[in-house]
Amino acid sequence: MTLIEYLVKQSIINKENAGQLEYEAKTSGKREGEIILEKGILTEAPLFEFKSKSLKIPLKTVIADDIPLKVLELIPYDSAKYYKMIPLEKKDSRVEVGMVYPEDLQAQEALKFLFRQQKLSYGIFLITPTVFENLSKQYQSLKKEVTKALEELEVEMDNGGTEKVPVRREEFERMAEEAPVTKMVAVILRHAVEGKASDIHIEPTKKESKIRFRLDGILHASLFLPLKIHPAVVARIKILSNLKIDETRLPQDGRFGITVGQKNVDFRVSTFPTVLGEKVVLRVLDPQESSMSFEGLGLERRNFEILKRAIAKPYGMILVTGPTGSGKTTTLYAVLHILNQEGVNIITLEDPIEYFIEGVNQSQVKPEIGYTFATGLRHILRQDPDIVMVGEIRDEETAVLATQASLTGHLVLSTLHTNNALGVIPRLINLGVSPFLLPPSLSVCIAQRLVRRLCQYCKKEVSPNPKIKEMIIRDFESLSSLMKKESGGLLKSFKIYEPVGCKKCNSTGYSGRIGLYEILEMTSELSEIVLKEPTESRIKEEAFRQGMITMKQDGILKILEGVTSVAEVLRAAEEK
C-alpha cells in the first residue's frame, strides 16, 4: 500500500486530492511524501508515523552522537546522501540502517550490493529527513576534518621511517606539537563548544581512543581515533594546560583557554591514569553560564522571592546543596554577579575556580601545600571582605569558621552535600556547629537538581495516562494555598509535553537544562525547632508550614508550563 493510499484509508485526504497528489508526484519526479510536506497537508512527524504504519517499518529517532564514525563508514557518504540512507548501529555482522525512502527500489538494490560485498546482513528502520540531515551534516563535518588530520599524520609518520607506533616519549611529544595533532585537538574542542557540550571525555580502550561529549547531562560517543595517536593527543592537551608531559602515573589538573568565533572559552583539564593509558576529561567553561539570571536558572515564584530577600541582607549564610553536577556552583556564580558592585569587597575560595569574574578576588585552594578552605577562610577575614564564597563546606573547621564569619557581619555563600534542603541543618550540627549559632547565622538552604529543557521548536502536547495525571494532581494539591492560587491556571489547562526531535535540538527533543529547586528559609518558628529538636522530621513540618515547594513540586509546575517532561522530573526529583 502506497503512502497516499494509506492516508486515504485513514481519512486524512480524500480521493480527489489523492489523485492530484499522485499526478504531481508522477510528473514532477518528486516523492509522494515530499509533495505532502511542501503543500503543508501534514508536518514531518505525523507524516512519518503514518508512513511507518503503511510500510510496516518501525520509525526510529536517533541521537547523532550515539553513532561511531566507524559505523557511518559502512556506507560511503556519497551513497548515503544520494539514497538518503545511513547506518545506525552494528551488532556483530548485522547492521541497522535508517532510510528516509525505504520504498525506493534503487536504494534497496544499492543497500544489498554494499552489504553483500562486506558480508553483512542488515535491518531497515524508517527515519525522518530531519534526522537524516542532522546525522549526515554533523558527522560529515567532524569526520572530514579529523580524517584529513589523520591522513596528514600518517604521511608524516611514513616519511619519518618504518616505525608506525610512537612508543618513545620523545616521539609522541614531537607529534603533539606537529600540525595534524594540533589541528585534530582544535577540531575536537571547537565541535564541543559549537555543539554546546559541557564535558569532553578522551579515553583509551583496547582497540582505539574514544571521544565522548556530554550534552545536556548525557554522554554520547562522538569519535573514535586510532589508539597509536592517543598519547600524542593527551600530550597536546597537557602542553596547552602547562601540565607535566612525562608524568603519566599520577592524576594532574590544569586549565587553558581558546577563542571560538567571538567567544573566549576556558577548559578545565583533568588527567587520570588507567590500566590502558591516561584518560583526559575537559570541562567546557562557557562564560555565559556564569552570568545566567535567576529566571534562566529556573528560580521562580516563592523560591525567587526568598533568595532575593536573603542576598539583600548584609550578613548570613546561603547554602546550596545537591550532588556533583547539579549546578550548585552556577547558582552561586549567578548570586555573585548580582552582588558584584563597586562598593563591596568579594573574595572567593574555590577548588577549582570555574569561571573568572571581573571585580571578584578569586583564590584557588591547594590542600597539598596546606592551603585548605579553613586556612583560606581564616586569612580572608583579615582582608576586610563584605561577601565571602567558600567552594564547599567539607569539615568541622570550615563549617565553624563560615558560621562565625556570617555572625560577624559577612554574607557567606557555600555548598554542602545533602539530599535535600531539610538535611542542611542536621548536617551542619553533625559537622560540629552548635545549634544555638544557626538561627542568627543561617539565612536560607537551597537544594537543587538539573533537568533537560524540552526543545521549544518540536515538543508535542500529549494526554497524560491516568497514573501520571493522578500523580500531578496529588502533588499540585499538596502545594500551599497561596501557591495553588498563583498557579491554579496551570492545572485548569492541564497541558503536558513530550520530546520529539528536530534540527534545532540535534534530534534529542531537548535543548539546554534548567534547575528544580526547594528553598528552606530561617524563620522564628524554625529557630525554635533548631534550638529544641533539630531533627529532619520536625524541620519538615515547619518547611511545609512555611509553604516550601519541594523539588518534585517545582518540577510538576515546570511540566505544566511546558518547560520539561514528566520523565525528566521523575528521573531527577522522585523520592528526593
Side-chain angles (χ1 to χ4, degrees), residues 196-211:
K196 298 183 179 176
S198 60
D199 300 86
I200 307 166
H201 290 236
I202 303 172
E203 47 205 358
T205 66
K206 284 185 177 180
K207 295 181 179 179
E208 54 213 344
S209 178
K210 181 167 66 174
I211 295 169

Side-chain angles (χ1 to χ4, degrees), residues 317 319 399 416 424-433 438 442:
M317 275 197 297
L319 298 182
L416 199 66
V424 170
I425 291 170
R427 174 72 177 143
L428 287 172
I429 293 170
N430 287 340
L431 281 172
V433 179
L438 290 174
L442 184 61

Side-chain angles (χ1 to χ4, degrees), residues 106 125 318 567:
Q106 283 187 325
F125 290 86
I318 297 173

Side-chain angles (χ1 to χ4, degrees), residues 88-141:
L88 306 176
E89 188 176 358
K90 183 176 181 284
K91 293 178 181 175
D92 300 322
S93 61
R94 184 173 176 80
V95 182
E96 291 183 359
V97 180
M99 299 182 75
V100 179
Y101 303 110
E103 69 275 21
D104 185 335
L105 296 178
Q106 283 187 325
Q108 291 274 12
E109 286 301 317
L111 200 57
K112 279 181 191 174
F113 176 77
L114 284 166
F115 287 128
R116 193 185 302 127
Q117 283 189 318
Q118 300 177 65
K119 296 180 180 177
L120 296 170
S121 61
Y122 62 90
I124 294 173
F125 290 86
L126 183 67
I127 57 173
T128 64
T130 298
V131 168
F132 175 80
E133 288 301 321
N134 182 51
L135 290 172
S136 58
K137 278 181 184 177
Q138 182 170 338
Y139 274 86
Q140 181 62 7
S141 171

Side-chain angles (χ1 to χ4, degrees), residues 69-359:
L69 283 179
K70 65 178 183 179
V71 172
L72 288 176
E73 287 168 352
L74 293 171
I75 296 178
Y77 179 70
D78 291 338
S79 299
K81 189 176 180 183
Y82 183 79
Y83 293 112
K84 298 286 190 292
M85 60 187 187
I86 201 157
L88 306 176
E89 188 176 358
K90 183 176 181 284
K91 293 178 181 175
D92 300 322
S93 61
R94 184 173 176 80
V95 182
E96 291 183 359
V97 180
M99 299 182 75
V100 179
Y101 303 110
E103 69 275 21
D104 185 335
L105 296 178
Q106 283 187 325
Q108 291 274 12
E109 286 301 317
L111 200 57
K112 279 181 191 174
F113 176 77
L114 284 166
F115 287 128
R116 193 185 302 127
Q117 283 189 318
Q118 300 177 65
K119 296 180 180 177
L120 296 170
S121 61
Y122 62 90
I124 294 173
F125 290 86
L126 183 67
I127 57 173
T128 64
T130 298
V131 168
F132 175 80
E133 288 301 321
N134 182 51
L135 290 172
S136 58
K137 278 181 184 177
Q138 182 170 338
Y139 274 86
Q140 181 62 7
S141 171
L142 181 56
K143 180 184 174 184
K144 251 183 180 176
E145 294 182 73
V146 172
T147 303
K148 189 176 178 183
L150 280 171
E151 286 170 356
E152 290 175 20
L153 185 61
E154 287 291 344
V155 169
E156 291 194 9
M157 289 169 68
D158 286 342
N159 292 340
T162 56
E163 185 183 12
K164 289 279 185 177
V165 182
V167 292
R168 297 192 306 274
R169 182 181 302 134
E170 300 80 21
E171 178 68 10
F172 69 70
E173 285 179 25
R174 177 188 66 77
M175 287 171 58
E177 291 285 21
E178 288 176 352
V181 170
T182 301
K183 190 187 299 181
M184 199 178 306
V185 171
V187 166
I188 292 166
L189 298 179
R190 179 165 55 78
H191 275 270
V193 174
E194 291 174 351
K196 298 183 179 176
S198 60
D199 300 86
I200 307 166
H201 290 236
I202 303 172
E203 47 205 358
T205 66
K206 284 185 177 180
K207 295 181 179 179
E208 54 213 344
S209 178
K210 181 167 66 174
I211 295 169
R212 296 190 289 172
F213 292 165
R214 189 179 293 280
L215 300 166
D216 296 333
I218 310 294
L219 269 175
H220 304 286
S222 296
L223 195 61
F224 290 90
L225 300 175
L227 188 58
K228 61 188 174 184
I229 69 161
H230 180 82
V233 171
V234 173
R236 175 61 188 161
I237 292 168
K238 284 183 173 182
I239 288 167
L240 290 171
S241 315
N242 290 319
L243 300 179
K244 294 177 182 176
I245 298 175
D246 59 346
E247 180 55 81
T248 59
R249 300 164 302 166
L250 295 172
Q252 296 186 72
D253 295 312
R255 69 187 297 149
F256 65 91
I258 63 170
T259 302
V260 178
Q262 302 296 314
K263 188 162 59 174
N264 294 319
V265 181
D266 282 347
F267 294 86
R268 194 179 80 212
V269 179
S270 170
T271 69
F272 188 78
T274 72
V275 173
L276 298 171
E278 284 187 284
K279 175 181 174 174
V280 180
V281 175
L282 299 95
R283 169 66 57 87
V284 184
L285 301 171
D286 188 336
Q288 291 178 354
E289 290 291 315
S290 69
S291 56
M292 285 182 71
S293 64
F294 286 164
E295 294 87 345
L297 293 171
L299 278 158
E300 303 168 315
R301 307 179 183 86
R302 173 187 180 273
N303 292 342
F304 180 60
E305 295 303 321
I306 290 174
L307 188 53
K308 275 204 304 187
R309 285 201 297 270
I311 65 176
K313 293 179 182 177
Y315 60 89
M317 275 197 297
I318 297 173
L319 298 182
V320 185
T321 183
T324 302
S326 61
K328 302 186 296 293
T329 305
T330 303
T331 298
L332 290 182
Y333 275 120
V335 173
L336 285 181
H337 270 281
I338 291 171
L339 296 172
N340 188 13
Q341 306 293 331
E342 186 63 36
V344 295
N345 178 21
I346 304 176
I347 304 179
T348 73
L349 282 171
E350 304 177 58
D351 184 23
I353 295 171
E354 295 271 349
Y355 304 97
F356 294 111
I357 305 175
E358 189 70 32

